[in-house]
Amino acid sequence: MDWCYPAKIKPGMTIAFTAPASASEEDMDALRALVEAAGYRAVFGESCFRRGEYGGTPEEQANELNYFLTDASCDAVVAVRGGYGCARYLDRLDYTGIRRASKPLVGYSDCTSLLQAIGVHSRLVTYHGPMGVDWLRSGRESDVADLWDLLEGRKKEQVLLSNDGDASGNDELSELQERPSLFPRRIEGRLWGGNATVLCSISGTAYMPSLAEWQEAILILEDIGEPPYKLDRLLQQLRLQGILRSVRGILLGTFTDCKDEDTNEIYDMERMIITYAMEGRTTGDIPFIGHIPLGHGAPHKALPIGQWVHIENGCISWT
């Protein structure tokens, strides 16, 4: 099955919000105001207003997501937040209908499982990008503006490493410039991945890319709140599955609050990922960039999951 691409959106269209995982407590009126200020109309699924652990039962959440992603009443779908819950209904989604409608879907964190599943079964490109909860946070305006540019078709590249510094004074982005880059050449491949914990949770299921697909992939990993030994366990799982040795390149996003529970030390993901990915390879075989602006930290610049991309000189681009 050939890959298909979500339609571009433009002002006047409708953006649907859903809580596909945990229940949401975000201010939907404030979110509506942001959408309307951008020239769009906002609609909200019932999941956005439910209380409790999840945004509904597996049946309710699957039905709502199927409705938004296949029905013509909205033009793009954005997750309000992550948490946990998407894996409960991956087997209930209408992948044929989702492919036929080809609407943009934006999410990350627990939505990683949705992005992989839709990529595997619908062959539709989706977006690992800021969710509603991020849109409402102070200081995230540039991330949301960047997402609009991507969804409206004006943006087909992202800077992963910059030598120009950050004019906004963002400390986290400034730190990005100091992280290692081992991309000695231009490479290309299909973008897969997202949250490391969620990605590993669907390993061995029908919703994870096959090893053959990983062999032409560029892998993204990010996470939040996981201590070093748990992150190492995730990397070991990817190593033992052969994924780390198969991919054409690796991009590490932010690993927010991933500190040792006792010493408060930060896990050296860059060093460990290089060690595990290099097993059985010669030096330089794994192009690698650490700490790209993507994940639970700020900034978070959206990227298209499932898209065939090119990486060169610290920039990722697609057609």
Side-chain angles (χ1 to χ4, degrees):
M1 186 191 308
D2 293 334
W3 280 81
C4 59
Y5 305 92
K8 299 175 185 177
I9 62 173
K10 59 183 178 180
M13 289 184 170
T14 299
I15 310 298
F17 289 90
T18 182
S22 295
S24 172
E25 296 182 357
E26 278 64 50
D27 186 340
M28 300 304 159
D29 290 334
L31 195 53
R32 183 190 302 276
L34 288 176
V35 173
E36 292 179 348
Y40 290 82
R41 177 172 174 262
V43 296
F44 299 87
E46 292 182 9
S47 65
C48 296
F49 305 99
R50 294 193 180 105
R51 294 296 177 260
E53 190 170 5
Y54 304 114
T57 65
E59 293 82 2
E60 289 170 335
Q61 288 178 296
N63 289 341
E64 181 173 291
L65 195 59
N66 279 330
Y67 173 74
F68 281 147
L69 286 174
T70 63
D71 188 84
S73 63
C74 68
D75 303 285
V77 182
V78 179
V80 174
R81 64 175 303 114
Y84 170 70
C86 296
R88 296 155 60 241
Y89 57 83
L90 294 179
D91 55 341
R92 301 173 186 267
L93 296 182
D94 178 8
Y95 294 104
T96 300
I98 290 171
R99 176 181 173 84
R100 185 182 303 116
S102 295
K103 298 182 185 183
L105 170 65
V106 181
Y108 71 102
S109 192
D110 194 62
C111 297
T112 293
S113 61
L114 292 178
L115 306 186
Q116 311 312 298
I118 290 173
V120 169
H121 291 286
S122 302
R123 283 295 189 258
L124 172 66
V125 170
T126 53
Y127 298 107
H128 186 291
M131 299 183 289
V133 63
D134 303 299
W135 294 27
L136 296 171
R137 288 173 176 152
S138 177
R140 304 303 290 273
E141 293 82 3
S142 65
D143 290 348
V144 177
D146 186 85
L147 177 63
W148 283 123
D149 285 343
L150 192 157
L151 294 176
E152 292 175 353
R154 293 188 298 275
K155 193 174 188 69
K156 292 188 176 182
E157 66 175 15
Q158 291 286 12
V159 175
L160 303 177
L161 290 175
S162 171
N163 295 320
D164 300 327
D166 178 30
S168 69
N170 186 298
D171 291 337
E172 189 162 358
L173 185 56
S174 297
E175 181 186 358
L176 183 154
Q177 273 68 267
E178 302 174 2
R179 294 300 179 106
S181 172
L182 299 178
F183 267 73
R185 61 189 184 278
R186 172 184 170 92
I187 68 163
E188 62 181 60
R190 198 170 301 284
L191 210 56
W192 287 105
N195 182 267
T197 297
V198 177
L199 186 67
C200 287
S201 75
I202 60 172
S203 292
T205 72
Y207 308 100
M208 182 76 157
S210 67
L211 191 56
E213 290 172 305
W214 286 116
Q215 289 171 354
E216 62 173 20
I218 297 173
L219 170 65
I220 297 175
L221 293 175
E222 62 85 27
D223 221 314
I224 182 172
E226 298 291 355
Y229 77 93
K230 289 187 178 180
L231 292 176
D232 189 84
R233 183 168 62 197
L234 298 174
L235 292 182
Q236 294 292 358
Q237 183 172 350
L238 295 174
R239 181 183 71 86
L240 293 171
Q241 286 181 275
I243 292 174
L244 294 184
R245 296 191 301 276
S246 298
V247 296
R248 296 183 176 187
I250 299 172
L251 305 176
L252 290 183
T254 52
F255 284 77
T256 306
D257 296 328
C258 290
K259 300 178 180 180
D260 186 277
E261 298 166 329
D262 299 320
T263 67
N264 212 36
E265 293 181 357
I266 298 175
Y267 185 57
D268 189 351
M269 280 292 291
E270 289 86 358
R271 179 180 62 81
M272 296 304 294
I273 198 78
I274 292 171
T275 299
Y276 297 150
M278 285 300 298
E279 184 180 59
R281 300 196 187 202
T282 58
T283 302
D285 274 358
I286 284 284
F288 165 86
I289 293 181
H291 210 73
I292 69 169
L294 174 143
H296 287 76
H300 182 173
K301 305 302 181 184
L303 288 176
I305 299 299
Q307 178 76 51
W308 192 267
V309 300
H310 300 81
I311 300 179
E312 187 174 25
N313 298 325
C315 182
I316 184 169
S317 61
W318 55 92
T319 57

